[in-house]
Amino acid sequence: MRISQLSEAAGLPVGTVKFYLRTGLLPAGRSINATQAAYDESHLGRLRLIRALIEVGRLSVAEIQSVLSAIDNPEQTTIDGLQAVHQVSTLKGRSPAEADVAVARELVAGLGWATDDDSPHLEGLARALSALASVGEPPTPTRLRVYAEAASHVARNDVDWVFDSPEDTQVERALVSAVLWEALLSSLRRLAAENQAARRRSGVPAPRMSVPSA
Amino acid sequence: MRISQLSEAAGLPVGTVKFYLRTGLLPAGRSINATQAAYDESHLGRLRLIRALIEVGRLSVAEIQSVLSAIDNPEQTTIDGLQAVHQVSTLKGRSPAEADVAVARELVAGLGWATDDDSPHLEGLARALSALASVGEPPTPTRLRVYAEAASHVARNDVDWVFDSPEDTQVERALVSAVLWEALLSSLRRLAAENQAARRRSGVPAPRMSVPSA
């Protein structure tokens, strides 16, 4: 299809499609002549992925560039691609104090989780723990455990979903999982809280969930 | 204490503290004379909350204004305050198509959750579901169920944590839960995925978590 048809199929202005071509987010089409190119379903799929990452995942164009170039580069291994997803899904922020990172590392070790010693996500955890302590609400062990159980429950499913798929789709699935399923979890958590609050008000408790430790 | 001591205790420049005073995020101190005021621990606590909401929660000054004014206004009830937290924690974005919201509403009803018919969080769920479908990865019922179980597991704990506290702290706890515990869950999910991936590579599966339905 031509660029005008591609833009119509994706529901995007031609100018936006051209911007994605210029920035390399969208691979070039097959040249037909000096001024025209043909696009196929793979281009349409890519445009939909870009829009989902921007609109729901709130990723920047630079972040999407870094992760898509890992997907597109035939020299890169799946491991490289997963690493790029890992980086792009790292929560950004001020570097936490080393003492806060040590607390986060200890917490993760206490859960029996095998994570990278220098995982960038330890910084995000350290920031959250330190923020909670600073507002006078340091997490109780019980509440941390409930959160760790929930995180483990979804993560097991995430990892199986990514690695049980064919190797050439694993990086894209890891990206979708890290970004779009994250947004889905946030919305579900808010709706679940509405449900629990409504049940509390009406005096009808929901069955307490018993989750064996991770 | 004087503003210079307050700023030192909070680890913030005096100019920043003055900005929070001007914008009303920080209540005025007790006037000592025409140019000086005294501040106490409550001001320090408020500064720490503001910093946590900005640095970890990524809230804007306008969002913090709207929720703190609900906390500070003695005319407002706890319900008003909780409503303000609800609004500020709503995921922003383009309005989804009505058909997508209908799918989200149906999903929530299928889970047996009692939520508001016009809950703003249904829009966030609709956007996430529609984004997943658009990239060719519509959620399977199993995966949705795992996510709903995890959301329900943390939400039950959240709601108890908020409503089992004295009424004058409930709004602040709801805010801390919606914003700071959200950041904590994101980091834990990423670290749990590292753990699950490491176990998968080493061939030592983590115990599968069996969560009874919510």
PDB file of all heavy atoms in Angstrom, chain A residues 58 89 92 114 119 147 149 153 156 158 177 182 186 189-190 194-195 206, chain B residues 58 89 92 114 119 147 149 153 156 158 177 182 186 189-190 194-195 206:
ATOM      1  N   ARG A  58       3.234   5.750  27.609  1.00  0.00           N
ATOM      2  CA  ARG A  58       3.855   7.040  27.875  1.00  0.00           C
ATOM      3  C   ARG A  58       5.363   7.029  27.615  1.00  0.00           C
ATOM      4  O   ARG A  58       6.118   7.736  28.282  1.00  0.00           O
ATOM      5  CB  ARG A  58       3.605   7.509  29.315  1.00  0.00           C
ATOM      6  CG  ARG A  58       2.141   7.628  29.659  1.00  0.00           C
ATOM      7  CD  ARG A  58       1.490   8.580  28.677  1.00  0.00           C
ATOM      8  NE  ARG A  58       0.097   8.817  28.969  1.00  0.00           N
ATOM      9  CZ  ARG A  58      -0.354   9.824  29.693  1.00  0.00           C
ATOM     10  NH1 ARG A  58       0.480  10.674  30.216  1.00  0.00           N
ATOM     11  NH2 ARG A  58      -1.636   9.984  29.865  1.00  0.00           N
ATOM     12  N   SER A  89      12.277   0.097  30.370  1.00  0.00           N
ATOM     13  CA  SER A  89      11.196  -0.023  31.354  1.00  0.00           C
ATOM     14  C   SER A  89      11.678   0.307  32.764  1.00  0.00           C
ATOM     15  O   SER A  89      10.940   0.155  33.721  1.00  0.00           O
ATOM     16  CB  SER A  89      10.606  -1.431  31.318  1.00  0.00           C
ATOM     17  OG  SER A  89      11.543  -2.374  31.795  1.00  0.00           O
ATOM     18  N   LYS A  92      12.567   5.959  35.901  1.00  0.00           N
ATOM     19  CA  LYS A  92      13.593   7.000  35.972  1.00  0.00           C
ATOM     20  C   LYS A  92      13.442   7.810  37.262  1.00  0.00           C
ATOM     21  O   LYS A  92      12.365   7.901  37.806  1.00  0.00           O
ATOM     22  CB  LYS A  92      13.453   7.958  34.774  1.00  0.00           C
ATOM     23  CG  LYS A  92      13.410   7.270  33.418  1.00  0.00           C
ATOM     24  CD  LYS A  92      14.654   6.438  33.135  1.00  0.00           C
ATOM     25  CE  LYS A  92      14.590   5.834  31.730  1.00  0.00           C
ATOM     26  NZ  LYS A  92      13.427   4.950  31.530  1.00  0.00           N
ATOM     27  N   ALA A 114      16.100 -14.323  43.061  1.00  0.00           N
ATOM     28  CA  ALA A 114      17.390 -14.267  42.373  1.00  0.00           C
ATOM     29  C   ALA A 114      17.338 -13.132  41.358  1.00  0.00           C
ATOM     30  O   ALA A 114      16.765 -13.290  40.284  1.00  0.00           O
ATOM     31  CB  ALA A 114      17.652 -15.595  41.662  1.00  0.00           C
ATOM     32  N   SER A 119      20.867  -4.711  39.373  1.00  0.00           N
ATOM     33  CA  SER A 119      19.637  -4.466  38.626  1.00  0.00           C
ATOM     34  C   SER A 119      19.200  -3.008  38.771  1.00  0.00           C
ATOM     35  O   SER A 119      19.162  -2.475  39.872  1.00  0.00           O
ATOM     36  CB  SER A 119      18.526  -5.373  39.158  1.00  0.00           C
ATOM     37  OG  SER A 119      17.283  -4.927  38.658  1.00  0.00           O
ATOM     38  N   TYR A 147       2.376  -7.390  48.622  1.00  0.00           N
ATOM     39  CA  TYR A 147       2.786  -6.805  47.345  1.00  0.00           C
ATOM     40  C   TYR A 147       3.769  -7.715  46.604  1.00  0.00           C
ATOM     41  O   TYR A 147       3.695  -7.866  45.377  1.00  0.00           O
ATOM     42  CB  TYR A 147       3.389  -5.408  47.575  1.00  0.00           C
ATOM     43  CG  TYR A 147       2.339  -4.325  47.472  1.00  0.00           C
ATOM     44  CD1 TYR A 147       1.367  -4.194  48.455  1.00  0.00           C
ATOM     45  CD2 TYR A 147       2.292  -3.474  46.385  1.00  0.00           C
ATOM     46  CE1 TYR A 147       0.371  -3.228  48.345  1.00  0.00           C
ATOM     47  CE2 TYR A 147       1.307  -2.502  46.268  1.00  0.00           C
ATOM     48  CZ  TYR A 147       0.354  -2.383  47.247  1.00  0.00           C
ATOM     49  OH  TYR A 147      -0.630  -1.438  47.122  1.00  0.00           O
ATOM     50  N   GLU A 149       3.985 -10.935  46.834  1.00  0.00           N
ATOM     51  CA  GLU A 149       3.240 -12.095  46.332  1.00  0.00           C
ATOM     52  C   GLU A 149       2.518 -11.743  45.034  1.00  0.00           C
ATOM     53  O   GLU A 149       2.546 -12.510  44.063  1.00  0.00           O
ATOM     54  CB  GLU A 149       2.204 -12.546  47.373  1.00  0.00           C
ATOM     55  CG  GLU A 149       2.808 -13.265  48.563  1.00  0.00           C
ATOM     56  CD  GLU A 149       1.850 -13.359  49.756  1.00  0.00           C
ATOM     57  OE1 GLU A 149       0.781 -12.697  49.734  1.00  0.00           O
ATOM     58  OE2 GLU A 149       2.189 -14.078  50.713  1.00  0.00           O
ATOM     59  N   HIS A 153       3.249 -13.298  41.384  1.00  0.00           N
ATOM     60  CA  HIS A 153       2.151 -13.985  40.697  1.00  0.00           C
ATOM     61  C   HIS A 153       2.054 -13.530  39.235  1.00  0.00           C
ATOM     62  O   HIS A 153       1.992 -14.359  38.320  1.00  0.00           O
ATOM     63  CB  HIS A 153       0.861 -13.665  41.460  1.00  0.00           C
ATOM     64  CG  HIS A 153      -0.332 -14.462  41.040  1.00  0.00           C
ATOM     65  ND1 HIS A 153      -0.336 -15.833  40.987  1.00  0.00           N
ATOM     66  CD2 HIS A 153      -1.583 -14.069  40.664  1.00  0.00           C
ATOM     67  CE1 HIS A 153      -1.544 -16.256  40.590  1.00  0.00           C
ATOM     68  NE2 HIS A 153      -2.307 -15.199  40.383  1.00  0.00           N
ATOM     69  N   ARG A 156       5.510 -14.422  37.091  1.00  0.00           N
ATOM     70  CA  ARG A 156       5.644 -15.801  36.621  1.00  0.00           C
ATOM     71  C   ARG A 156       4.886 -15.970  35.305  1.00  0.00           C
ATOM     72  O   ARG A 156       5.376 -16.582  34.354  1.00  0.00           O
ATOM     73  CB  ARG A 156       5.078 -16.748  37.682  1.00  0.00           C
ATOM     74  CG  ARG A 156       4.791 -18.110  37.150  1.00  0.00           C
ATOM     75  CD  ARG A 156       5.365 -19.172  38.008  1.00  0.00           C
ATOM     76  NE  ARG A 156       5.504 -20.397  37.247  1.00  0.00           N
ATOM     77  CZ  ARG A 156       6.116 -21.454  37.691  1.00  0.00           C
ATOM     78  NH1 ARG A 156       6.686 -21.432  38.861  1.00  0.00           N
ATOM     79  NH2 ARG A 156       6.201 -22.529  36.957  1.00  0.00           N
ATOM     80  N   ASP A 158       4.060 -13.530  33.223  1.00  0.00           N
ATOM     81  CA  ASP A 158       4.732 -12.698  32.215  1.00  0.00           C
ATOM     82  C   ASP A 158       5.883 -13.454  31.559  1.00  0.00           C
ATOM     83  O   ASP A 158       6.026 -13.472  30.336  1.00  0.00           O
ATOM     84  CB  ASP A 158       5.364 -11.447  32.859  1.00  0.00           C
ATOM     85  CG  ASP A 158       4.327 -10.451  33.371  1.00  0.00           C
ATOM     86  OD1 ASP A 158       3.190 -10.491  32.894  1.00  0.00           O
ATOM     87  OD2 ASP A 158       4.683  -9.649  34.255  1.00  0.00           O
ATOM     88  N   SER A 177       4.733  -6.661  27.543  1.00  0.00           N
ATOM     89  CA  SER A 177       4.491  -7.053  28.927  1.00  0.00           C
ATOM     90  C   SER A 177       4.946  -5.953  29.886  1.00  0.00           C
ATOM     91  O   SER A 177       4.219  -5.566  30.805  1.00  0.00           O
ATOM     92  CB  SER A 177       5.242  -8.353  29.209  1.00  0.00           C
ATOM     93  OG  SER A 177       4.862  -8.875  30.441  1.00  0.00           O
ATOM     94  N   GLU A 182       1.683  -3.424  32.234  1.00  0.00           N
ATOM     95  CA  GLU A 182       1.879  -2.568  33.418  1.00  0.00           C
ATOM     96  C   GLU A 182       0.706  -1.581  33.565  1.00  0.00           C
ATOM     97  O   GLU A 182       0.175  -1.399  34.660  1.00  0.00           O
ATOM     98  CB  GLU A 182       3.188  -1.782  33.241  1.00  0.00           C
ATOM     99  CG  GLU A 182       3.455  -0.733  34.281  1.00  0.00           C
ATOM    100  CD  GLU A 182       4.275  -1.257  35.429  1.00  0.00           C
ATOM    101  OE1 GLU A 182       4.662  -2.444  35.404  1.00  0.00           O
ATOM    102  OE2 GLU A 182       4.522  -0.489  36.364  1.00  0.00           O
ATOM    103  N   SER A 186      -2.176  -1.364  36.571  1.00  0.00           N
ATOM    104  CA  SER A 186      -2.512  -0.147  37.315  1.00  0.00           C
ATOM    105  C   SER A 186      -4.016   0.095  37.327  1.00  0.00           C
ATOM    106  O   SER A 186      -4.591   0.420  38.370  1.00  0.00           O
ATOM    107  CB  SER A 186      -1.843   1.075  36.676  1.00  0.00           C
ATOM    108  OG  SER A 186      -0.475   1.035  36.896  1.00  0.00           O
ATOM    109  N   ARG A 189      -5.791  -2.498  39.459  1.00  0.00           N
ATOM    110  CA  ARG A 189      -5.595  -2.263  40.902  1.00  0.00           C
ATOM    111  C   ARG A 189      -6.563  -1.185  41.413  1.00  0.00           C
ATOM    112  O   ARG A 189      -7.137  -1.304  42.481  1.00  0.00           O
ATOM    113  CB  ARG A 189      -4.137  -1.849  41.147  1.00  0.00           C
ATOM    114  CG  ARG A 189      -3.829  -1.488  42.590  1.00  0.00           C
ATOM    115  CD  ARG A 189      -2.341  -1.238  42.809  1.00  0.00           C
ATOM    116  NE  ARG A 189      -2.111  -0.743  44.161  1.00  0.00           N
ATOM    117  CZ  ARG A 189      -1.753   0.496  44.475  1.00  0.00           C
ATOM    118  NH1 ARG A 189      -1.521   1.378  43.520  1.00  0.00           N
ATOM    119  NH2 ARG A 189      -1.590   0.852  45.722  1.00  0.00           N
ATOM    120  N   ARG A 190      -6.744  -0.118  40.623  1.00  0.00           N
ATOM    121  CA  ARG A 190      -7.650   0.954  41.030  1.00  0.00           C
ATOM    122  C   ARG A 190      -9.102   0.465  41.076  1.00  0.00           C
ATOM    123  O   ARG A 190      -9.861   0.813  41.983  1.00  0.00           O
ATOM    124  CB  ARG A 190      -7.536   2.130  40.053  1.00  0.00           C
ATOM    125  CG  ARG A 190      -6.198   2.867  40.159  1.00  0.00           C
ATOM    126  CD  ARG A 190      -5.882   3.612  38.880  1.00  0.00           C
ATOM    127  NE  ARG A 190      -4.856   4.625  39.030  1.00  0.00           N
ATOM    128  CZ  ARG A 190      -3.553   4.364  39.103  1.00  0.00           C
ATOM    129  NH1 ARG A 190      -3.110   3.121  39.045  1.00  0.00           N
ATOM    130  NH2 ARG A 190      -2.675   5.347  39.222  1.00  0.00           N
ATOM    131  N   GLU A 194     -11.779  -0.046  44.275  1.00  0.00           N
ATOM    132  CA  GLU A 194     -13.181   0.398  44.326  1.00  0.00           C
ATOM    133  C   GLU A 194     -14.080  -0.738  44.803  1.00  0.00           C
ATOM    134  O   GLU A 194     -14.971  -0.549  45.623  1.00  0.00           O
ATOM    135  CB  GLU A 194     -13.663   0.834  42.936  1.00  0.00           C
ATOM    136  CG  GLU A 194     -13.204   2.211  42.528  1.00  0.00           C
ATOM    137  CD  GLU A 194     -13.902   2.670  41.241  1.00  0.00           C
ATOM    138  OE1 GLU A 194     -14.910   2.051  40.823  1.00  0.00           O
ATOM    139  OE2 GLU A 194     -13.420   3.648  40.659  1.00  0.00           O
ATOM    140  N   ASN A 195     -13.815  -1.925  44.244  1.00  0.00           N
ATOM    141  CA  ASN A 195     -14.596  -3.100  44.622  1.00  0.00           C
ATOM    142  C   ASN A 195     -14.441  -3.404  46.111  1.00  0.00           C
ATOM    143  O   ASN A 195     -15.423  -3.602  46.826  1.00  0.00           O
ATOM    144  CB  ASN A 195     -14.122  -4.297  43.780  1.00  0.00           C
ATOM    145  CG  ASN A 195     -14.741  -5.615  44.212  1.00  0.00           C
ATOM    146  OD1 ASN A 195     -15.955  -5.698  44.416  1.00  0.00           O
ATOM    147  ND2 ASN A 195     -13.910  -6.629  44.384  1.00  0.00           N
ATOM    148  N   ALA A 206     -15.032  -9.530  50.653  1.00  0.00           N
ATOM    149  CA  ALA A 206     -14.627 -10.454  49.591  1.00  0.00           C
ATOM    150  C   ALA A 206     -13.846 -11.576  50.249  1.00  0.00           C
ATOM    151  O   ALA A 206     -13.263 -11.395  51.313  1.00  0.00           O
ATOM    152  CB  ALA A 206     -13.743  -9.722  48.592  1.00  0.00           C
TER     153      ALA A 206
ATOM    154  N   ARG B  58       5.634  11.228  40.491  1.00  0.00           N
ATOM    155  CA  ARG B  58       5.591  12.002  39.252  1.00  0.00           C
ATOM    156  C   ARG B  58       4.318  12.826  39.112  1.00  0.00           C
ATOM    157  O   ARG B  58       3.840  13.061  38.001  1.00  0.00           O
ATOM    158  CB  ARG B  58       5.735  11.088  38.007  1.00  0.00           C
ATOM    159  CG  ARG B  58       6.994  10.269  37.991  1.00  0.00           C
ATOM    160  CD  ARG B  58       8.183  11.205  38.070  1.00  0.00           C
ATOM    161  NE  ARG B  58       9.450  10.518  38.018  1.00  0.00           N
ATOM    162  CZ  ARG B  58      10.139  10.297  36.896  1.00  0.00           C
ATOM    163  NH1 ARG B  58       9.670  10.711  35.743  1.00  0.00           N
ATOM    164  NH2 ARG B  58      11.291   9.682  36.934  1.00  0.00           N
ATOM    165  N   SER B  89      -5.350  10.172  40.914  1.00  0.00           N
ATOM    166  CA  SER B  89      -4.660   8.922  40.581  1.00  0.00           C
ATOM    167  C   SER B  89      -5.217   8.282  39.317  1.00  0.00           C
ATOM    168  O   SER B  89      -4.847   7.187  38.942  1.00  0.00           O
ATOM    169  CB  SER B  89      -4.744   7.940  41.750  1.00  0.00           C
ATOM    170  OG  SER B  89      -6.075   7.502  41.930  1.00  0.00           O
ATOM    171  N   LYS B  92      -4.200   9.390  32.979  1.00  0.00           N
ATOM    172  CA  LYS B  92      -4.658  10.328  31.967  1.00  0.00           C
ATOM    173  C   LYS B  92      -4.425   9.754  30.569  1.00  0.00           C
ATOM    174  O   LYS B  92      -3.553   8.940  30.357  1.00  0.00           O
ATOM    175  CB  LYS B  92      -3.888  11.646  32.073  1.00  0.00           C
ATOM    176  CG  LYS B  92      -3.822  12.225  33.474  1.00  0.00           C
ATOM    177  CD  LYS B  92      -5.196  12.548  34.044  1.00  0.00           C
ATOM    178  CE  LYS B  92      -5.098  13.203  35.416  1.00  0.00           C
ATOM    179  NZ  LYS B  92      -4.411  12.369  36.418  1.00  0.00           N
ATOM    180  N   ALA B 114     -17.663  -5.004  42.266  1.00  0.00           N
ATOM    181  CA  ALA B 114     -18.623  -3.909  42.411  1.00  0.00           C
ATOM    182  C   ALA B 114     -17.865  -2.602  42.269  1.00  0.00           C
ATOM    183  O   ALA B 114     -17.205  -2.155  43.201  1.00  0.00           O
ATOM    184  CB  ALA B 114     -19.280  -3.982  43.781  1.00  0.00           C
ATOM    185  N   SER B 119     -16.842   4.841  36.717  1.00  0.00           N
ATOM    186  CA  SER B 119     -15.501   4.970  37.283  1.00  0.00           C
ATOM    187  C   SER B 119     -14.508   5.451  36.227  1.00  0.00           C
ATOM    188  O   SER B 119     -14.469   4.916  35.123  1.00  0.00           O
ATOM    189  CB  SER B 119     -15.037   3.612  37.819  1.00  0.00           C
ATOM    190  OG  SER B 119     -13.649   3.667  38.080  1.00  0.00           O
ATOM    191  N   TYR B 147      -3.789 -11.411  36.441  1.00  0.00           N
ATOM    192  CA  TYR B 147      -3.615  -9.997  36.772  1.00  0.00           C
ATOM    193  C   TYR B 147      -4.716  -9.501  37.722  1.00  0.00           C
ATOM    194  O   TYR B 147      -4.452  -8.727  38.644  1.00  0.00           O
ATOM    195  CB  TYR B 147      -3.577  -9.158  35.484  1.00  0.00           C
ATOM    196  CG  TYR B 147      -2.168  -8.974  34.983  1.00  0.00           C
ATOM    197  CD1 TYR B 147      -1.454 -10.043  34.453  1.00  0.00           C
ATOM    198  CD2 TYR B 147      -1.518  -7.751  35.093  1.00  0.00           C
ATOM    199  CE1 TYR B 147      -0.143  -9.889  34.033  1.00  0.00           C
ATOM    200  CE2 TYR B 147      -0.199  -7.584  34.669  1.00  0.00           C
ATOM    201  CZ  TYR B 147       0.472  -8.656  34.141  1.00  0.00           C
ATOM    202  OH  TYR B 147       1.778  -8.495  33.740  1.00  0.00           O
ATOM    203  N   GLU B 149      -6.367 -11.274  39.858  1.00  0.00           N
ATOM    204  CA  GLU B 149      -6.115 -11.854  41.184  1.00  0.00           C
ATOM    205  C   GLU B 149      -5.061 -11.041  41.933  1.00  0.00           C
ATOM    206  O   GLU B 149      -5.210 -10.733  43.118  1.00  0.00           O
ATOM    207  CB  GLU B 149      -5.622 -13.302  41.047  1.00  0.00           C
ATOM    208  CG  GLU B 149      -6.714 -14.289  40.667  1.00  0.00           C
ATOM    209  CD  GLU B 149      -6.171 -15.611  40.144  1.00  0.00           C
ATOM    210  OE1 GLU B 149      -4.944 -15.717  39.889  1.00  0.00           O
ATOM    211  OE2 GLU B 149      -6.974 -16.542  39.970  1.00  0.00           O
ATOM    212  N   HIS B 153      -5.617  -8.890  45.296  1.00  0.00           N
ATOM    213  CA  HIS B 153      -4.814  -9.237  46.474  1.00  0.00           C
ATOM    214  C   HIS B 153      -4.227  -7.971  47.125  1.00  0.00           C
ATOM    215  O   HIS B 153      -4.341  -7.775  48.333  1.00  0.00           O
ATOM    216  CB  HIS B 153      -3.700 -10.186  46.018  1.00  0.00           C
ATOM    217  CG  HIS B 153      -2.918 -10.824  47.121  1.00  0.00           C
ATOM    218  ND1 HIS B 153      -3.504 -11.512  48.158  1.00  0.00           N
ATOM    219  CD2 HIS B 153      -1.580 -10.893  47.336  1.00  0.00           C
ATOM    220  CE1 HIS B 153      -2.554 -11.976  48.973  1.00  0.00           C
ATOM    221  NE2 HIS B 153      -1.375 -11.606  48.496  1.00  0.00           N
ATOM    222  N   ARG B 156      -7.196  -5.371  48.443  1.00  0.00           N
ATOM    223  CA  ARG B 156      -7.820  -5.706  49.733  1.00  0.00           C
ATOM    224  C   ARG B 156      -6.960  -5.152  50.876  1.00  0.00           C
ATOM    225  O   ARG B 156      -7.466  -4.577  51.839  1.00  0.00           O
ATOM    226  CB  ARG B 156      -7.955  -7.215  49.839  1.00  0.00           C
ATOM    227  CG  ARG B 156      -8.179  -7.686  51.240  1.00  0.00           C
ATOM    228  CD  ARG B 156      -9.363  -8.601  51.335  1.00  0.00           C
ATOM    229  NE  ARG B 156      -9.836  -8.621  52.690  1.00  0.00           N
ATOM    230  CZ  ARG B 156     -10.936  -9.229  53.070  1.00  0.00           C
ATOM    231  NH1 ARG B 156     -11.677  -9.829  52.176  1.00  0.00           N
ATOM    232  NH2 ARG B 156     -11.305  -9.225  54.321  1.00  0.00           N
ATOM    233  N   ASP B 158      -4.737  -2.714  50.627  1.00  0.00           N
ATOM    234  CA  ASP B 158      -4.749  -1.243  50.548  1.00  0.00           C
ATOM    235  C   ASP B 158      -5.940  -0.663  51.293  1.00  0.00           C
ATOM    236  O   ASP B 158      -5.810   0.271  52.074  1.00  0.00           O
ATOM    237  CB  ASP B 158      -4.885  -0.777  49.082  1.00  0.00           C
ATOM    238  CG  ASP B 158      -3.644  -1.080  48.251  1.00  0.00           C
ATOM    239  OD1 ASP B 158      -2.562  -1.252  48.834  1.00  0.00           O
ATOM    240  OD2 ASP B 158      -3.781  -1.160  47.017  1.00  0.00           O
ATOM    241  N   SER B 177      -1.120   5.332  49.223  1.00  0.00           N
ATOM    242  CA  SER B 177      -1.362   4.014  48.651  1.00  0.00           C
ATOM    243  C   SER B 177      -1.476   4.094  47.127  1.00  0.00           C
ATOM    244  O   SER B 177      -0.859   3.319  46.395  1.00  0.00           O
ATOM    245  CB  SER B 177      -2.649   3.457  49.255  1.00  0.00           C
ATOM    246  OG  SER B 177      -2.797   2.118  48.909  1.00  0.00           O
ATOM    247  N   GLU B 182       1.991   2.295  44.432  1.00  0.00           N
ATOM    248  CA  GLU B 182       1.946   1.981  42.996  1.00  0.00           C
ATOM    249  C   GLU B 182       3.371   1.881  42.434  1.00  0.00           C
ATOM    250  O   GLU B 182       3.706   0.951  41.690  1.00  0.00           O
ATOM    251  CB  GLU B 182       1.197   3.105  42.269  1.00  0.00           C
ATOM    252  CG  GLU B 182       1.217   3.025  40.760  1.00  0.00           C
ATOM    253  CD  GLU B 182       0.022   2.282  40.227  1.00  0.00           C
ATOM    254  OE1 GLU B 182      -0.838   1.844  41.023  1.00  0.00           O
ATOM    255  OE2 GLU B 182      -0.051   2.122  39.001  1.00  0.00           O
ATOM    256  N   SER B 186       5.363  -1.457  40.917  1.00  0.00           N
ATOM    257  CA  SER B 186       6.036  -1.509  39.609  1.00  0.00           C
ATOM    258  C   SER B 186       7.450  -2.052  39.739  1.00  0.00           C
ATOM    259  O   SER B 186       7.879  -2.891  38.946  1.00  0.00           O
ATOM    260  CB  SER B 186       6.128  -0.110  38.994  1.00  0.00           C
ATOM    261  OG  SER B 186       4.865   0.317  38.598  1.00  0.00           O
ATOM    262  N   ARG B 189       7.427  -5.753  40.593  1.00  0.00           N
ATOM    263  CA  ARG B 189       7.052  -6.579  39.441  1.00  0.00           C
ATOM    264  C   ARG B 189       8.256  -6.807  38.527  1.00  0.00           C
ATOM    265  O   ARG B 189       8.479  -7.895  38.022  1.00  0.00           O
ATOM    266  CB  ARG B 189       5.916  -5.900  38.675  1.00  0.00           C
ATOM    267  CG  ARG B 189       5.492  -6.636  37.421  1.00  0.00           C
ATOM    268  CD  ARG B 189       4.267  -5.997  36.778  1.00  0.00           C
ATOM    269  NE  ARG B 189       3.988  -6.626  35.498  1.00  0.00           N
ATOM    270  CZ  ARG B 189       4.146  -6.038  34.315  1.00  0.00           C
ATOM    271  NH1 ARG B 189       4.540  -4.795  34.238  1.00  0.00           N
ATOM    272  NH2 ARG B 189       3.909  -6.698  33.203  1.00  0.00           N
ATOM    273  N   ARG B 190       9.056  -5.756  38.314  1.00  0.00           N
ATOM    274  CA  ARG B 190      10.234  -5.890  37.451  1.00  0.00           C
ATOM    275  C   ARG B 190      11.267  -6.811  38.082  1.00  0.00           C
ATOM    276  O   ARG B 190      11.905  -7.625  37.395  1.00  0.00           O
ATOM    277  CB  ARG B 190      10.847  -4.510  37.211  1.00  0.00           C
ATOM    278  CG  ARG B 190       9.987  -3.615  36.329  1.00  0.00           C
ATOM    279  CD  ARG B 190      10.318  -2.152  36.547  1.00  0.00           C
ATOM    280  NE  ARG B 190       9.831  -1.283  35.499  1.00  0.00           N
ATOM    281  CZ  ARG B 190       8.562  -0.898  35.380  1.00  0.00           C
ATOM    282  NH1 ARG B 190       7.646  -1.313  36.228  1.00  0.00           N
ATOM    283  NH2 ARG B 190       8.212  -0.087  34.396  1.00  0.00           N
ATOM    284  N   GLU B 194      12.723 -10.588  36.909  1.00  0.00           N
ATOM    285  CA  GLU B 194      14.129 -11.004  36.848  1.00  0.00           C
ATOM    286  C   GLU B 194      14.313 -12.342  37.553  1.00  0.00           C
ATOM    287  O   GLU B 194      15.011 -13.231  37.065  1.00  0.00           O
ATOM    288  CB  GLU B 194      15.030  -9.966  37.545  1.00  0.00           C
ATOM    289  CG  GLU B 194      15.324  -8.746  36.728  1.00  0.00           C
ATOM    290  CD  GLU B 194      16.412  -7.863  37.379  1.00  0.00           C
ATOM    291  OE1 GLU B 194      17.101  -8.334  38.306  1.00  0.00           O
ATOM    292  OE2 GLU B 194      16.546  -6.724  36.933  1.00  0.00           O
ATOM    293  N   ASN B 195      13.681 -12.443  38.721  1.00  0.00           N
ATOM    294  CA  ASN B 195      13.770 -13.679  39.489  1.00  0.00           C
ATOM    295  C   ASN B 195      13.189 -14.864  38.712  1.00  0.00           C
ATOM    296  O   ASN B 195      13.813 -15.916  38.590  1.00  0.00           O
ATOM    297  CB  ASN B 195      13.012 -13.488  40.815  1.00  0.00           C
ATOM    298  CG  ASN B 195      12.884 -14.776  41.613  1.00  0.00           C
ATOM    299  OD1 ASN B 195      13.869 -15.491  41.801  1.00  0.00           O
ATOM    300  ND2 ASN B 195      11.686 -15.077  42.074  1.00  0.00           N
ATOM    301  N   ALA B 206      10.063 -21.645  40.287  1.00  0.00           N
ATOM    302  CA  ALA B 206       9.524 -21.184  41.566  1.00  0.00           C
ATOM    303  C   ALA B 206       8.211 -21.918  41.781  1.00  0.00           C
ATOM    304  O   ALA B 206       7.561 -22.336  40.824  1.00  0.00           O
ATOM    305  CB  ALA B 206       9.271 -19.676  41.497  1.00  0.00           C
TER     306      ALA B 206
END
